[in-house]
Amino acid sequence: MSKLAPFALALLALGCFRSQSNGGEDGGTRCTVPEGFVCCSARGPEASPPSACPYRCPDRTFLTPLEECVPPTDAGLPPADSAVWYCSPPVPGDHVCLPQQFAPAGRPFQLPVTMDGCGCCPETGCSVGVDEGRRHVLVHTTVCPEDPCDCDSCQRPVATCEIPALARGDWTVESLNGGSFTLHVEDEISLVPEPPACTTFGEADDCTRAPLENLRPDPVARICIERNETGHLARLLNDCGGCAHQGPCVARVRERFTDDLPPGGEIELEPTVYFGDCDGVCPPVCIETERECPLPELLPGGYYRVWVDGRPRFTFVEGTEPTCGSDVDVFEP
């Protein structure tokens, strides 16, 4: 969130809440919203939220305690149409990059969610829902109308989502369109720093809201490393992709500390796919597919080796051409 007023920041932060889990009739777990929460808009309380996961409120509203749902005009701010404190329509998340490949257990942290599209000075918002029983986090990201500003290039909007303390283990992070990825939450006890990592939200189909159980490696025939306005990305080509859905793509960059090769590091890519519950039989034909996997920051001029699912594929020097390869010939520069 870039230029919101302090009051706006406080209101958006109230979108973060914890759920309560109660036993359902089937013996499983269902979700209920804490008592006293409402779907709030710029005009005040709009409706009671649904009792089932994942706590979706209507457009232009967010979940907050009733006593905190105060229209901006009542707080001494300009009218709601000129005070950007919550924006709609929501924009689903595309990917997340973290300075290390897991989130800290037992304490709040920030999850930067990058969205599709671009803007000169995009303002963003994020509200969060947490279901502890299912280890599920829903992120509700939005992009606001822009005020005139000067910029050198188009920037992709990044929403800062305030995540409350989570227990150690694997959590499903889901975006508004059903896309999801697995967030590893660990205790910070390692003496060796974990590498930075980026992961995309795996896409959802009509029957699968969070496709994280039946993932398989996505075969890669060719890889290109490119740079755009926000950083580096790996463009992956599967020459026989078929009708599988794209699961998350995880990218890690391990800095090199040895002297046997020039400064740089190892780029580790783990692209995945899955077949949805209502896809039926995939036609026995090859369909070329392409996907993008954003990368953590690379060292300018660094020498990098690219690995896919643990196998070396090619090497390149950042900032030089060509930066595409289909297999590794030799690891020496």
Side-chain angles (χ1 to χ4, degrees), residues 294-316:
L295 304 178
E297 185 177 359
L298 301 183
L299 178 69
Y303 176 71
Y304 287 93
R305 305 188 292 189
V306 180
W307 305 68
V308 178
D309 291 318
R311 187 168 72 89
R313 300 302 296 269
F314 80 104
T315 66
F316 72 97

Side-chain angles (χ1 to χ4, degrees), residues 230-318:
T230 59
H232 292 84
L233 61 87
R235 190 176 301 277
L236 310 182
L237 174 68
N238 183 345
D239 55 6
C240 193
C243 58
H245 298 279
Q246 291 185 359
C249 181
V250 179
R252 291 180 293 269
V253 175
R254 299 184 185 273
E255 185 178 356
R256 183 178 302 115
F257 297 103
T258 60
D259 297 331
D260 56 329
L261 292 173
E266 315 296 325
I267 299 176
E268 303 170 351
L269 302 175
E270 296 178 2
T272 60
V273 294
Y274 75 98
F275 292 93
D277 295 337
C278 57
D279 287 340
V281 178
C282 189
V285 294
C286 282
I287 303 174
E288 187 176 280
T289 60
E290 187 177 278
R291 68 188 302 169
E292 295 180 356
C293 299
L295 304 178
E297 185 177 359
L298 301 183
L299 178 69
Y303 176 71
Y304 287 93
R305 305 188 292 189
V306 180
W307 305 68
V308 178
D309 291 318
R311 187 168 72 89
R313 300 302 296 269
F314 80 104
T315 66
F316 72 97
V317 175
E318 193 281 333

